[in-house]
């Protein structure tokens, strides 16, 4: 069997403890079994002693009675031998020998019935057979009874030997031995008395040589008796019953008479010698009565001595009884002790196993739960070693609990949790602490990064204000609040006036400075709780909440207008900024953030178009305007598709009134009878990319028209000007949109002039410049429209890649004003210096035309030259112009000739 296999069969603690407990239990059981067996043996031995003693006592009594019977038989035989009839003897002596014998036999038989001496009975029957008038002589009867006595004596002897052996193995043999010795002595004393009786009567009644022998025997037996009596005396001292019995025997008159007689005879024998005559004269002279009494006394003495055995036997029996009781008691004690010890050992084993197993099992369960991830402490109970293990387990659980706590704290990103500062001991603790530290650091970094990202996502990098999305979120929250509380909310849309030019003229750093300064100033103007955000570019939004109506909102707007107008020093120059503010009020929560912002945007647009540094409120009028605009926008979109647009052409003349170009102007035949002017729909279209579609349509239509005019001599080479919107100028498709139609109609790009308003250029100066330069590279001419209305300084003009400068008609109408007049001259002179062709717009009167020509304008456009006309009427108009010119020159020539 392999070791592993052995290990699999390893017994449990309970089995082991029970096993350990079973060893002493088995030992106790073995020893107890031995002790019990021993006690049983002692009990058996006691039983055997009791049985044997009873039998021995019976045997001793039997022997005694047989002796008596034999003497009776002998006496009977002796009388018969002498020829004396028994009746005579009975009469003479009052001793009925026959009755004596009969009584003796009856007693013997009674004893024999109780005993089991078959041999003795046989011998006795033979001996008794001799006892009758014609039976055997005394000699043969004596011999026969002698063998009977020997047989019984043999039983007695065997009994004594058996008892000796039994006593030798007895546990407490002292009393037993004493009783046994008393029994033995009782037998000896009985034997001695019997022997003395025989010797006494032989010495008394037998003559001849045997007498001396019997005398010697008598003396010897007497001595023996004395010796045995002395021994008995020692025993009697310590035995009450024996003492009482002996008292009775020794006090019996028959016994003392017997011994007196024996003493008397012995004394005479000592005095006369054994050979001397019988005391009574040789047996001739006999006192029959006295002899008879002596005979009877002796028989009684024998019997009484035999009875001494009773006392001894009862003492032995008592000792045996005690022995048995002791044995039984010890058997009981041993059994009780063994059972008690076995039970105690098993209980001890059970208790010990419970004491050990319970905590072990709890620990096992705890480890089981641990495996499933439950961190339970276990109670520290049981033996020291188990407690140590439990403590170690608990420490491990504590460490894991700490690790769990730290993991949870990390998972919840609770970096301030005190659990993170706790340290577990050892290498595990060290690595845990390092892991916790590393994780905590990286979490902290992540959190910081996240917060930074969140801030960056919600804030504008330049000004630190909320950005567009975050502002929209604020707006959404504020509107939700308004819905609940029903207070007013104001949105202020703030747009910096002319910010583009700050960027263009002073650089982006200056632009950034202006933006940051404005942000600071606005945020200082608003109330605590109001929100300021930057939507992008130069657009700011204030969400003021709550406000008590428009009055409040306007007060705030005024404050902003004032604080933002303080001059800003940028490098060497001092800028005087201003803002336009659009105000929208939300009195209920029906508006979406986009809607209220659109309203504010609408208002700021209006503020801008109404002149700068102004505050406009988005009121019902504005909203109506918006609705109208939306309507126009939709119709125009359809109008383009439905070909409702038309082009008219306005001639442009040179100083000699010759048509040198025609400007294409769009018209919208919105319905058959109403032709709409650009002012009604171009501004609407300009708010969206719809204007680009309009421009494209015009470019295509103009190119077609130029191609169509190829057959008309006056118009075949006439350049055509088209207007391009600021939005289109910023579109990536600009160059393709412009060149495409020219190419497809086979028109030389140099015949096309694109007109860009000054303000469109200023929106994004660099980009516009790049786009125009590109067009010019392809041969397209570029004109600046409405010049003078924007803020372009004259020194800036040289940077513009343009061919034509069109002076806005507002200057032309005011030519009588000296300032305007000198400004127009300045523009013309500067333009010429930069190699530009100067066109004057809106020239309505011949006087204006003459003055402009005087001021140096190269070209004139206006009603005086010609009104915008349908394409079909352009050639006629051009011709008329030429005829007018010819007529005029004739007049001139005539006047010159005449003058
Ligand atoms: P603009 O480019 O300055 O066009 C000249 C405008 O001045 C035209 O108005 C024309 O009818 C008007 N006009 C011409 N001579 C005189 C005059 O002697 N006195 C006065 N008071 N006005 C005169 P119109 O056609 O109503 O166009 C208005 C504006 O609409 C144009 O101003 C131009 O900026 C824009 N526009 C017209 N057509 C287009 C187009 O196809 N595309 C784009 N983007 N804009 C266009
Ligand atoms: Ca124009
Ligand atoms: Ca113009």
């Amino acid at each position: 069997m392999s070791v592993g296999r052995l290990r699999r069969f390893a017994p449990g603690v309970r089995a082991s403890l029970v096993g350990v407990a079973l060893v002493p239990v088995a030992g106790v059981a073995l020893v107890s079994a031995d002790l019990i067996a021993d006690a049983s043996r002692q009990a058996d031995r006691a039983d055997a002693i009791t049985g044997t003693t009873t039998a021995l006592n019976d045997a001793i009594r039997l022997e005694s009675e047989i002796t008596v019977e034999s003497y009776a038989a002998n006496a009977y035989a002796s009388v018969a031998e002498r020829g004396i009839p028994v009746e005579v003897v009975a009469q003479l002596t009052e001793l009925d020998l026959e009755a004596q014998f009969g009584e003796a036999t009856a007693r013997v038989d009674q004893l024999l019935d109780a005993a089991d001496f078959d041999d003795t009975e046989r011998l006795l029957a033979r001996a008794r057979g001799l006892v009758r008038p014609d039976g055997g002589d005394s000699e043969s009867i004596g011999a026969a009874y002698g063998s009977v006595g020997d047989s019984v004596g043999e039983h007695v002897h065997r009994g004594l030997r058996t008892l000796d052996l039994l006593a030798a193995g007895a546990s407490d043999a002292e009393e037993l031995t004493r009783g046994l010795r008393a029994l033995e002595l009782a037998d000896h004393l009985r034997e001695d008395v019997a022997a003395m009786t025989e010797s006494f009567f032989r010495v008394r009644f037998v003559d001849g040589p045997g007498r001396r022998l019997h005398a010697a025997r008598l003396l010897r037996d007497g001595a023996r008796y004395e010796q045995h009596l002395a021994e008995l005396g020692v025993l009697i001292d310590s035995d009450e019953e024996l003492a009482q019995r002996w008292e009775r025997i020794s006090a019996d008159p028959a016994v003392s008479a017997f011994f007196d007689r024996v003493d008397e005879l012995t004394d005479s024998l000592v005095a006369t010698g054994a050979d001397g005559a019988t005391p009574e004269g040789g047996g001739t002279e006999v006192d029959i009565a006295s002899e008879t009494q002596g005979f009877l006394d002796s028989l009684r003495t024998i019997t009484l001595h035999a009875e001494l055995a009773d006392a001894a036997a009862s003492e032995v029996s008592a000792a045996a009884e005690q022995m048995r009781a002791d044995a039984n008691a010890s058997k009981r004690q041993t059994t009780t002790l063994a059972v008690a010890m076995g039970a105690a050992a098993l209980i001890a084993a059970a208790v010990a196993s419970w004491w050990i197993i319970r905590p072990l099992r709890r620990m096992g369960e705890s480890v089981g739960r641990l495996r499933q991830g439950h961190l339970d402490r276990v109670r520290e109970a049981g033996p020291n070693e188990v407690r140590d293990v439990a403590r170690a387990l608990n420490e491990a659980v504590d460490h894991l609990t700490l690790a769990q706590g730290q993991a949870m704290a990390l998972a919840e990103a609770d970096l301030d949790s005190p659990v993170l500062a706790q340290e577990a001991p050892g290498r595990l603790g060290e690595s845990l602490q390092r892991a916790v530290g590393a994780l905590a650091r990286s979490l902290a970094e992540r959190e910081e990064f996240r917060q930074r990202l969140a801030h960056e996502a919600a804030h504008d990098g330049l000004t630190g204000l909320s950005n567009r999305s975050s502002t929209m979120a604020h707006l959404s929250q504020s509107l939700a609040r308004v819905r609940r509380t029903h207070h007013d909310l104001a949105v202020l849309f703030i747009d910096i006036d002319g910010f583009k030019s700050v960027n263009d003229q002073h650089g982006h750093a200056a632009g950034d400075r202006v933006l940051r300064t404005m942000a600071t100033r606005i945020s200082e103007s608003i109330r605590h709780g109001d929100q300021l955000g930057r939507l992008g570019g130069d657009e700011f939004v204030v969400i003021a909440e709550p406000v008590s109506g428009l009055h409040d909102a306007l007060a705030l707007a005024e404050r902003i207008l004032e604080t933002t107008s303080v001059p800003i020093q940028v490098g060497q120059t001092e800028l005087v900024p201003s803002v336009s503010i659009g105000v929208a009020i939300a009195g209920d929560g029906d508006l979406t953030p986009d809607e209220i912002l659109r309203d504010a945007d609408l208002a700021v647009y209006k503020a801008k178009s109404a002149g700068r540094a102004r505050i406009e409120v988005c009121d019902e009028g504005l909203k109506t305007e918006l609705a109208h605009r939306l309507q126009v926008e939709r119709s125009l979109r359809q109008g383009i598709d439905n070909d409702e647009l038309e082009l008219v052409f306005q001639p442009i003349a040179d100083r000699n009134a010759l048509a040198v170009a025609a400007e294409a102007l769009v018209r919208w035949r919105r319905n058959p009878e109403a032709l709409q002017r650009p002012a009604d729909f171009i501004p609407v279209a300009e708010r969206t990319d719809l204007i680009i579609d309009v421009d494209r349509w015009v470019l295509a239509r103009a190119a077609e028209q130029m191609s169509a005019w190829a057959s008309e001599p006056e118009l075949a080479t006439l350049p055509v000007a088209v207007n391009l919107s600021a939005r289109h100028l910023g579109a990536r498709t600009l160059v393709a949109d412009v060149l495409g139609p020219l190419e497809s109609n086979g028109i030389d790009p140099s015949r096309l002039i694109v007109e860009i308003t000054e303000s469109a250029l200023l929106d994004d100066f660099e980009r516009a410049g790049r786009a125009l330069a590109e067009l010019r590279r392809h041969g397209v001419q570029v004109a600046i429209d409405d010049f003078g209305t924007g803020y372009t300084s004259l020194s800036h003009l040289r940077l513009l890649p343009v061919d034509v400068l069109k002076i806005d008609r507002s200057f032309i109408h005011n030519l009588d004003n000296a300032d305007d007049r000198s400004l127009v001259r300045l523009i013309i002179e500067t333009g010429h210096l930069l190699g530009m062709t100067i066109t004057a717009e809106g020239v309505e009167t011949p006087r204006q035309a003459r003055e402009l020509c005087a001021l140096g304008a190269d070209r004139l456009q206006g009603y005086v030259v010609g009104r915008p006309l349908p394409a079909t009427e352009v050639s006629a108009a051009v011709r008329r112009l030429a005829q007018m010119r010819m007529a005029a020159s004739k007049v001139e020539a005539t006047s010159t000739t005449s003058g």
Side-chain angles (χ1 to χ4, degrees):
M1 194 185 276
S2 71
V3 176
R5 193 157 182 165
L6 262 174
R7 214 170 271 149
R8 263 206 301 289
F9 282 102
V13 172
R14 193 190 297 273
S16 301
L17 283 171
V18 169
V20 168
L22 280 179
V23 172
V25 168
V28 166
L30 279 174
V31 171
S32 305
D34 203 38
L35 285 172
I36 289 167
D38 202 38
S40 293
R41 272 197 300 280
Q42 290 291 343
D44 290 349
R45 194 178 290 265
D47 284 345
I49 288 171
T50 306
T52 308
T53 303
T54 309
L56 178 62
N57 191 26
D58 288 349
I60 289 170
R61 294 262 305 281
L62 183 63
E63 193 176 6
S64 151
E65 292 306 331
I66 284 172
T67 304
V68 170
E69 184 186 318
S70 81
Y71 288 173
N74 209 296
Y76 181 85
S78 297
V79 170
E81 269 171 3
R82 287 192 173 100
I84 306 165
V86 182
E87 303 81 43
V88 175
V89 172
Q91 277 171 9
L92 286 173
T93 63
E94 292 172 13
L95 175 68
D96 186 346
L97 288 172
E98 219 173 345
Q100 275 287 324
F101 181 68
E103 283 170 26
T105 54
R107 281 202 300 276
V108 166
D109 286 345
Q110 196 187 344
L111 285 167
L112 270 174
D113 281 349
D116 180 23
F117 300 144
D118 291 347
D119 50 342
T120 307
E121 272 185 270
R122 252 191 335 273
L123 290 167
L124 186 63
R126 197 169 64 82
R128 281 178 181 169
L130 297 172
V131 185
R132 61 178 187 272
D134 54 343
D137 59 3
S138 61
E139 202 69 31
S140 59
I141 288 171
Y145 270 104
S147 56
V148 174
D150 286 347
S151 167
V152 179
E154 184 56 33
H155 281 292
V156 170
H157 184 67
R158 244 196 335 261
L160 281 170
R161 274 199 50 80
T162 304
L163 281 175
D164 264 347
L165 288 170
L166 287 170
S171 51
D172 183 14
E174 196 195 334
E175 204 180 340
L176 195 61
T177 312
R178 216 172 47 222
L180 223 54
R181 186 64 189 146
L183 199 58
E184 205 172 359
L185 285 172
D187 185 48
H188 284 324
L189 286 168
R190 179 211 42 91
E191 226 167 35
D192 293 341
V193 171
M196 280 161 71
T197 302
E198 190 182 340
S199 299
F200 175 82
F201 282 108
R202 288 209 189 271
V203 171
R204 243 2 219 158
F205 300 110
V206 177
D207 287 325
R211 192 164 174 246
R212 185 189 285 263
L213 178 68
H214 290 298
R217 278 184 182 162
L218 181 62
L219 290 171
R220 187 200 64 197
D221 292 338
R224 267 187 189 161
Y225 181 86
E226 288 302 329
Q227 196 196 329
H228 288 142
L229 198 58
E231 274 187 51
L232 185 69
V234 176
L235 296 174
I236 281 170
D237 285 348
S238 57
D239 191 325
E240 188 101 359
E241 198 186 339
L242 207 57
Q244 281 175 7
R245 187 63 69 97
W246 178 249
E247 193 76 26
R248 270 216 316 278
I249 293 169
S250 58
D252 195 283
V255 173
S256 46
F258 170 73
F259 279 107
D260 285 348
R261 238 176 242 115
V262 170
D263 286 345
E264 196 183 323
L265 181 60
T266 312
D267 290 346
S268 78
L269 279 174
V270 170
T272 58
D275 297 331
T278 58
E280 317 302 330
T284 46
E285 202 64 32
V286 176
D287 177 351
I288 300 279
S290 147
E291 290 302 332
T292 304
Q293 191 54 49
F295 177 64
L296 290 174
D297 285 347
S298 64
L299 292 185
R300 184 162 167 76
T301 303
I302 290 168
T303 307
L304 281 173
H305 276 80
E307 280 176 14
L308 186 61
D310 270 354
S314 73
E315 193 186 347
V316 170
S317 292
E321 185 54 42
Q322 184 61 46
M323 189 173 145
R324 185 172 44 239
D326 286 352
N328 284 335
S330 118
K331 215 153 76 176
R332 270 199 308 279
Q333 275 173 13
T334 307
T335 307
T336 309
L337 195 71
V339 168
M341 276 187 72
L346 286 172
I347 288 169
V351 168
S353 74
W354 178 78
W355 191 46
I356 296 168
I357 287 170
R358 236 170 54 129
L360 277 178
R361 187 169 295 156
R362 272 204 299 266
M363 232 156 23
E365 288 164 0
S366 172
V367 169
R369 285 197 299 276
L370 201 62
R371 279 211 308 250
Q372 291 165 359
H374 303 293
L375 299 177
D376 295 341
R377 282 184 121 254
V378 65
R379 223 178 71 203
E380 290 169 21
N384 269 338
E385 291 78 359
V386 176
R387 245 176 240 240
D388 286 345
V389 176
R391 202 171 299 130
L393 182 64
N394 279 343
E395 279 170 18
V397 166
D398 289 348
H399 298 163
L400 286 173
T401 306
L402 178 60
Q404 188 189 37
Q406 291 182 337
M408 299 257 291
L410 287 178
E412 288 162 9
D414 181 10
L415 299 182
D416 298 330
S417 170
V419 82
L420 292 181
Q422 282 177 39
E423 275 180 51
R427 299 260 311 264
L428 171 69
E430 207 176 287
S431 35
L432 253 177
Q433 200 57 32
R434 288 224 317 257
V436 163
L439 276 169
R441 272 194 303 281
S442 98
L443 274 175
E445 282 166 11
R446 241 182 54 185
E447 179 59 17
E448 197 188 304
F449 185 58
R450 194 190 64 73
Q451 282 178 4
R452 212 169 58 224
L453 277 186
H455 186 269
E456 279 172 10
H459 291 81
D460 165 46
L462 180 66
T463 60
L465 298 177
S466 300
N467 61 13
R468 172 180 280 272
S469 63
S470 154
T471 301
M472 294 307 276
H474 283 311
L475 192 52
S476 163
Q477 288 165 10
S478 295
L479 284 170
R481 244 191 321 272
V482 164
R483 270 195 290 279
R484 284 199 309 276
T485 57
H486 303 292
H487 58 237
D488 283 351
L489 167 117
V491 171
L492 276 61
F493 200 116
I494 304 165
D495 193 299
I496 303 176
D497 297 330
F499 177 70
K500 286 261 154 51
S501 67
V502 175
N503 254 354
D504 292 342
Q505 295 175 27
H506 305 282
H508 283 288
D512 287 353
R513 229 190 86 228
V514 169
L515 284 174
R516 274 199 295 265
T517 307
M518 293 311 235
T520 310
R521 288 177 180 177
I522 299 169
S523 65
E524 281 167 1
S525 309
I526 63 177
R527 305 168 306 177
H528 180 74
D530 291 348
Q531 293 276 348
L532 171 62
R534 181 180 170 215
L535 294 184
D538 58 350
E539 297 171 346
F540 295 85
V541 159
V542 172
I543 305 164
E545 179 211 356
V547 289
S548 52
L550 183 59
H551 172 77
D552 236 13
L554 286 177
L556 176 60
E558 292 286 358
R559 211 157 53 235
I560 293 170
L561 209 59
E562 198 183 312
T563 50
T564 50
S565 64
V566 177
I568 304 173
Q569 192 70 34
V570 175
Q572 295 300 320
T573 31
E574 192 183 60
L575 293 182
V576 183
S578 71
V579 296
S580 298
I581 302 179
V583 179
I585 302 280
D588 50 45
D590 285 351
L591 292 174
T592 66
D594 281 328
E595 283 168 345
I596 191 166
L597 203 63
R598 185 207 57 207
D599 286 356
D601 186 20
L602 199 63
V604 85
Y605 177 79
K606 192 181 171 194
K608 276 211 186 282
S609 41
R612 299 163 186 231
R614 288 177 65 101
I615 300 166
E616 284 295 338
V617 178
C618 177
D619 48 21
E620 282 313 310
L622 201 59
K623 285 188 182 173
T624 311
E625 194 181 311
L626 180 70
H628 167 74
R629 210 157 66 201
L630 286 173
Q631 177 61 36
V632 170
E633 205 179 298
R634 244 192 322 273
S635 308
L636 180 59
R637 215 176 281 279
Q638 282 172 0
I640 296 171
D641 292 343
N642 298 343
D643 225 12
E644 290 170 11
L645 297 185
E646 294 173 8
L647 275 188
V648 290
F649 295 88
Q650 184 175 32
I652 301 168
D654 65 4
R655 290 164 64 89
N656 299 318
L658 286 174
V660 288
E663 182 177 356
L665 297 162
V666 74
R667 300 286 179 270
W668 179 19
R669 196 168 290 281
R670 206 173 170 180
N671 47 61
E673 56 277 5
L675 197 66
Q676 291 209 320
R677 309 257 310 187
D680 299 330
F681 62 93
I682 288 294
V684 176
E686 271 178 336
R687 293 192 68 87
T688 66
D689 279 352
L690 185 57
I691 189 65
I692 296 178
D693 293 337
V694 173
D695 284 358
R696 281 191 192 125
W697 183 90
V698 171
L699 281 164
R701 184 73 199 85
E704 280 166 24
Q705 194 54 61
M706 284 157 85
S707 169
W709 280 337
S711 55
E712 298 182 41
E714 301 87 1
L715 306 178
T717 58
L718 189 73
V720 172
V722 295
N723 297 280
L724 286 186
S725 67
R727 217 176 255 272
H728 203 174
L729 199 62
R732 254 176 291 143
T733 55
L734 175 73
V735 176
D737 288 343
V738 172
L739 297 178
L742 296 176
E743 202 178 335
S744 52
N745 287 285
I747 310 297
D748 185 348
S750 62
R751 273 184 72 195
L752 186 73
I753 305 161
V754 292
E755 296 188 2
I756 318 289
T757 61
E758 185 192 2
S759 57
L761 267 177
L762 292 177
D763 274 354
D764 193 340
F765 191 82
E766 280 176 31
R767 187 169 177 173
R770 277 199 304 276
L772 295 178
E774 173 81 13
L775 288 174
R776 285 183 82 206
R777 260 201 305 284
H778 286 92
V780 176
Q781 298 181 59
V782 174
I784 291 187
D785 211 349
D786 301 347
F787 190 80
T789 53
Y791 291 89
T792 316
S793 63
L794 285 172
S795 62
H796 237 86
L797 268 178
R798 62 190 164 86
L799 299 173
L800 295 174
V802 296
D803 305 286
V804 180
L805 208 59
K806 296 178 81 172
I807 301 173
D808 191 69
R809 60 176 171 271
S810 55
F811 293 100
I812 309 306
H813 289 169
N814 294 330
L815 272 181
D816 289 341
N817 180 303
D819 282 352
D820 278 4
R821 196 186 172 82
S822 54
L823 189 59
V824 169
R825 182 185 284 124
L826 194 61
I827 293 171
I828 292 169
E829 283 172 0
T830 312
H832 281 161
L833 277 173
L834 294 170
M836 297 172 182
T837 301
I838 311 297
T839 304
E841 288 185 310
V843 188
E844 295 179 352
T845 63
R847 187 170 156 242
Q848 286 171 341
R850 270 198 304 278
E851 279 179 21
L852 284 165
C853 285
L855 284 171
D858 300 303
R859 294 175 180 177
L860 303 174
Q861 181 180 359
Y863 297 157
V864 76
V865 178
R867 290 193 176 250
L869 298 166
T872 47
E873 295 170 25
V874 176
S875 57
V878 168
R879 255 197 313 274
R880 202 166 45 249
L881 266 177
Q883 286 162 1
M884 273 170 62
R885 169 70 201 133
M886 282 191 326
S889 58
K890 271 180 197 151
V891 169
E892 216 169 272
T894 310
S895 63
T896 309
T897 357
S898 62

